[in-house]
């Protein structure tokens, strides 16, 4: 179902024009209006889901197929040096539009001066390891 109050629903379903790179029955892939780098694209499902947790499993699987297809063409065509596939869930994770989307962000040598996607690595403690692995038992 699409949500008429959701900007990405309206873009994905063609009600608002966008620079579209790819479209099929389930997805539209568009260029980001405020790109992190040249070629920054967004994979939008046509059906509304606020985030990964709400997205139906079949669409979650298909989204990665679209990322592979579009990411491969972008990478070859732009001659970038790398590609980040990024997907934010929740404000703390940086999500600003609450319609599931995946970012494809081409990376170019030297861009780390202005494009930051790093963290200070921690150390996995035995307590955390046991707590987290027990969630899946
Ligand atoms: P988020 O921070 O939620 O993971 O990513 C939202 C992204 O959507 C941002 O990179 C932002 O630049 C992009 N964006 C927000 N509104 C629009 C829009 O109306 N059109 C397009 N093409 N991109 C948008
Ligand atoms: Zn939506």
């Amino acid at each position: 179902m699409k949500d008429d109050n959701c900007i990405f629903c309206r873009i994905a379903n063609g009600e608002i024009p966008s620079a579209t790179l790819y479209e099929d029955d389930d997805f539209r892939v568009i260029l980001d209006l405020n790109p992190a780098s040249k070629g920054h694209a967004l994979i939008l499902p046509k059906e509304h889901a606020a985030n990964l947790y709400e997205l139906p499993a079949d669409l979650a699987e298909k989204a990665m197929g679209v990322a592979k297809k579009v990411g491969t063409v972008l990478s070859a065509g732009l001659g970038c040096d790398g590609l980040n596939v990024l997907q934010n869930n929740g404000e703390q994770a940086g999500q600003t539009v609450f319609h599931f989307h995946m970012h494809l962000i081409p990376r170019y040598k030297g861009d780390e001066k202005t494009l930051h996607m790093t963290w200070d690595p921690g150390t996995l403690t035995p307590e955390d390891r046991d707590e987290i692995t027990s969630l899946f038992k």
Side-chain angles (χ1 to χ4, degrees):
M1 272 273 280
K2 99 180 157 53
D3 174 347
D4 285 337
N5 297 315
C6 170
I7 179 114
F8 278 5
C9 275
R10 300 184 66 198
I11 292 173
N13 289 282
E15 288 169 22
I16 297 175
S18 62
T20 294
L21 306 181
Y22 171 88
E23 185 182 3
D24 62 23
D25 288 347
D26 299 312
F27 295 94
R28 182 186 296 270
V29 183
I30 64 169
L31 287 177
D32 197 295
L33 273 187
N34 297 109
S37 69
K38 181 178 177 182
H40 183 171
L42 301 171
I43 300 172
L44 312 179
K46 292 183 176 179
E47 178 177 332
H48 183 81
N51 49 41
L52 181 64
Y53 323 122
E54 285 187 7
L55 189 71
D58 63 319
L59 289 179
E61 288 174 16
K62 286 180 185 170
M64 190 51 86
V66 175
K68 176 177 168 53
K69 212 177 280 185
V70 177
T72 301
V73 175
L74 270 179
S75 183
L78 295 174
C80 56
D81 302 300
L83 179 80
N84 288 117
V85 179
L86 174 71
Q87 199 275 309
N88 300 326
N89 298 285
E91 268 181 50
Q92 181 62 24
Q95 186 175 12
T96 59
V97 179
F98 293 88
H99 174 121
F100 172 93
H101 52 280
M102 279 169 84
H103 296 259
L104 298 174
I105 305 179
R107 301 299 304 266
Y108 302 90
K109 285 206 171 72
D111 69 3
E112 64 278 5
K113 292 182 199 102
T114 54
L115 209 173
H116 311 291
M117 231 176 280
T118 58
W119 55 87
D120 297 338
T123 302
L124 179 63
T125 63
E127 294 77 21
D128 281 358
R129 179 198 60 207
D130 292 348
E131 178 190 344
I132 300 159
T133 55
S134 75
L135 298 174
F136 296 88
K137 283 175 183 150

